[in-house]
Amino acid sequence: QVQLRESGPGAVKPSQTLSLTCTVARVSITTYDYYYSWIRQPPGKTLEWMGAIAWTGDTFYSPSLKSRTSIFMDAPSNTISLHLTSVTPEDTAVYYCARHTWSYSNGYYSTHYEDWGQGTQVAVSS
């Protein structure tokens, strides 16, 4: 069974950069046709997709977060990292990484989530 585990600081100060790591177990992150997304859920709000990285290293970002978000992969350690710059209290959320595929049909992309991490809570405050 594939396992994903998010880790990082539980608290960050405004204007700093948030760095999170998703450690993947029991499957290689370079497995063909799989993507890893970072998704967050602020308190009282719905899930927000932030961006994804493909098995090739290609990246895709939410337009609303693209200027502040970077996603990296490190094959030897089998990890996916997220950097979010210039954080504000509005970036307070539970952050998840998820493993999935994407399919395209009739002009639409569909996401097929297979595995999720348990999430890590991040609070942004001074």
Side-chain angles (χ1 to χ4, degrees):
Q1 181 179 355
V2 176
Q3 294 181 339
L4 287 75
R5 178 170 55 85
E6 304 89 347
S7 60
V12 184
K13 295 185 183 300
S15 81
Q16 291 184 339
T17 295
L18 170 65
S19 297
L20 298 176
T21 298
C22 175
T23 301
V24 181
R26 300 180 181 172
V27 70
S28 171
I29 60 174
T30 59
T31 299
Y32 176 78
D33 212 27
Y34 277 88
Y35 300 78
Y36 293 83
S37 280
W38 283 97
I39 299 156
R40 68 182 183 179
Q41 186 169 28
K45 297 185 178 180
T46 57
L47 293 171
E48 178 185 21
W49 179 79
M50 302 179 68
I53 189 164
W55 76 101
T56 57
D58 292 331
T59 52
F60 311 85
Y61 297 108
S62 167
S64 64
L65 293 169
K66 184 176 183 178
S67 64
R68 298 195 293 129
T69 306
S70 298
I71 299 176
F72 307 91
M73 67 189 311
D74 183 69
S77 64
N78 219 42
T79 57
I80 308 292
S81 297
L82 169 73
H83 289 183
L84 182 66
T85 63
S86 303
V87 298
T88 72
E90 292 178 342
D91 294 310
T92 294
V94 177
Y95 287 75
Y96 300 92
C97 64
R99 179 174 179 261
H100 60 86
T101 58
W102 269 331
S103 63
Y104 182 79
S105 177
N106 297 324
Y108 295 96
Y109 281 96
S110 297
T111 306
H112 309 281
Y113 289 103
E114 296 190 11
D115 303 284
W116 289 74
Q118 82 286 355
T120 186
Q121 174 72 54
V122 175
V124 180
S125 68
S126 54

